Amino acid sequence: IVLLLSILGSNTSVAYAAAIVLILKVLGLNSVLHTIGANGINWGIILLTVAILVPVATGDITVQNMIDSFKSPLGIVAVIAGILAAASGGYGVQLLKSTPEVVSALIIGTMAGVFFFKGIAVGPLIAGGFVYLIMHILTALK
């Protein structure tokens, strides 16, 4: 269903991911699926971090560019948003590991965001961080 919806919604990233999972499942490579399930988030974070660092390594982004980001309101807001997203993602990873029952709800929400709002599937980590934050606020208010 996810593969079909991703094709209909023209979301190639989700289509590739769903196809890979489907192929591994059909081939009976459950150990590979379990390995990806256990380590995939960490591998994905490493790959994303590498992609983010490439412009620094190639010189497309310099130390001066980074310093200049603090000179405009947009740059300052972007730095703050980056901090909040990274912190939220970190808390999201903790939540996903400690509270597996929330995973299915986060997947449904992420897929809805991908299919209906042209989002990308990084949502579970950040959404998990939002859930973590909201639950801590609600607990503190009791």
Side-chain angles (χ1 to χ4, degrees), residues 30-65:
N30 290 329
S31 63
V32 175
L33 285 172
H34 290 295
T35 300
I36 292 171
N39 301 303
I41 290 175
N42 291 331
W43 296 340
I45 290 168
I46 291 168
L47 188 58
L48 284 170
T49 304
V50 167
I52 289 168
L53 292 175
V54 165
V56 176
T58 61
D60 293 335
I61 295 176
T62 64
V63 172
Q64 188 59 48
N65 295 133

Side-chain angles (χ1 to χ4, degrees), residues 100-119:
E101 63 269 17
V102 78
V103 173
S104 59
L106 290 173
I107 289 171
I108 291 168
T110 298
M111 291 296 102
V114 167
F115 297 137
F116 300 119
F117 299 103
K118 303 287 185 202

